[in-house]
Amino acid sequence: MNREDAVKFLLTKPYKLGHALGFTKLTELHNEWIIDMVRGKEDKTLQAHRGSYKTTCVSIALAIIIILLPSKTVMFMRKTDADVKEIITQVKKILDSQYIRYLVSVIYGCDLKIVTGTQTQINTNLNRQSKGATQLSAMGTNGSLTGKHFDFIFTDDIVNVEDRVSRAEREHTKLVYQELQNIRNRGGRIYNTGTPWHKEDCFTLMPNIHRFDCYDTQ
């Protein structure tokens, strides 16, 4: 495999990477989701049921962005800090895999090294940020957004059962989502994934909604 083949593989067949990593139930529909997460330009919202592997797709997309778009900054947001840690751990495992390390060596001619690998940040030796910003940062909806700016913003399940039972929580989630508009860089993008819980929850603010039920994702 040469450099062009490796890049093409990550951009066009990311679900095959998922299969190699043990996510064997990913389908060509999931492949489309991951490709759009990495390469799409407009804001988008993906609504799918629990067990649809949407979060797994986000994890793979985040890893690919870190590798192929090393000059971009990414923020990943979930409802709580504990929820965030689970996904960041999964992204680190993907980056640590022999498959990713092989692809990076083919693309860049060097070994991939995770320079920062905390529960809320991932930074690698591929980073091309002139200001030294971390490639991937993560936080819950109660985290501080002050002074932060990102090229990609991913929200995943920032609406949950708390939003169903609490109007105050619904309004808080909406305020956080509105603030995200102010911290994305010019030309940046917000990609939302999750499941609606209430007719007045934050999904009423999210654009370009694409819905998938359990029959679509089989």
Side-chain angles (χ1 to χ4, degrees):
M1 179 180 286
N2 58 32
R3 183 181 189 279
E4 183 179 347
D5 291 336
V7 172
K8 183 178 180 181
F9 173 71
L10 288 174
L11 289 178
T12 63
K13 297 295 181 182
Y15 82 125
K16 293 291 188 182
L17 171 65
H19 291 173
L21 294 169
F23 305 118
T24 56
K25 293 186 178 181
L26 296 184
T27 67
E28 292 198 5
L29 174 62
H30 298 113
N31 197 57
E32 293 174 12
W33 291 358
I34 300 169
I35 290 172
D36 186 52
M37 290 172 187
V38 175
R39 306 183 71 179
K41 301 300 181 184
E42 61 184 356
D43 286 2
K44 196 163 189 176
T45 303
L46 171 65
Q47 285 186 353
H49 60 92
R50 291 176 176 274
S52 61
Y53 299 102
K54 59 185 182 297
T55 303
T56 298
C57 291
V58 171
S59 299
I60 294 172
L62 292 174
I64 292 174
I65 290 170
I66 287 172
I67 294 165
L68 295 185
L69 300 170
S71 65
K72 300 296 185 181
T73 54
V74 187
M75 189 189 78
F76 175 73
M77 176 176 280
R78 295 190 96 186
K79 179 66 88 176
T80 70
D81 291 342
D83 294 333
V84 159
K85 294 171 185 176
E86 172 191 354
I87 303 306
I88 296 302
T89 298
Q90 184 160 281
V91 175
K92 284 193 289 187
K93 287 182 179 179
I94 293 171
L95 292 173
D96 272 331
S97 70
Q98 60 179 323
Y99 306 102
I100 287 295
R101 292 185 175 276
Y102 168 72
L103 291 168
V104 167
S105 68
V106 171
I107 295 169
Y108 293 104
C110 68
D111 293 331
L112 176 66
K113 295 179 181 179
I114 297 178
V115 179
T116 303
T118 68
Q119 294 180 325
T120 58
Q121 291 187 325
I122 296 177
N123 203 25
T124 74
N125 60 323
L126 303 179
N127 191 337
R128 296 295 182 268
Q129 271 286 326
S130 59
K131 297 181 180 180
T134 300
Q135 288 177 274
L136 175 62
S137 302
M139 69 179 68
T141 53
N142 287 320
S144 173
L145 298 175
T146 304
K148 294 179 171 62
H149 296 281
F150 299 94
D151 299 303
F152 288 86
I153 298 173
F154 285 84
T155 77
D156 180 51
D157 288 333
I158 62 170
V159 175
N160 67 10
V161 66
E162 293 180 50
D163 297 80
R164 170 177 282 179
V165 301
S166 169
R167 179 179 179 182
E169 183 64 26
R170 290 195 295 274
E171 294 307 311
H172 171 70
T173 305
K174 288 178 181 179
L175 286 173
V176 172
Y177 182 75
Q178 289 170 326
E179 182 61 21
L180 295 180
Q181 316 300 319
N182 299 323
I183 69 167
R184 64 165 155 187
N185 292 328
R186 180 174 296 180
R189 184 190 195 207
I190 299 177
Y191 195 107
N192 310 294
T193 54
T195 305
W197 285 88
H198 190 278
K199 63 181 180 180
E200 296 177 358
D201 66 28
C202 190
F203 279 106
T204 60
L205 303 180
M206 296 179 181
N208 198 10
I209 296 177
H210 293 248
R211 298 178 176 88
F212 298 86
D213 61 27
C214 59
Y215 303 103
D216 297 321
T217 59
Q218 287 181 345

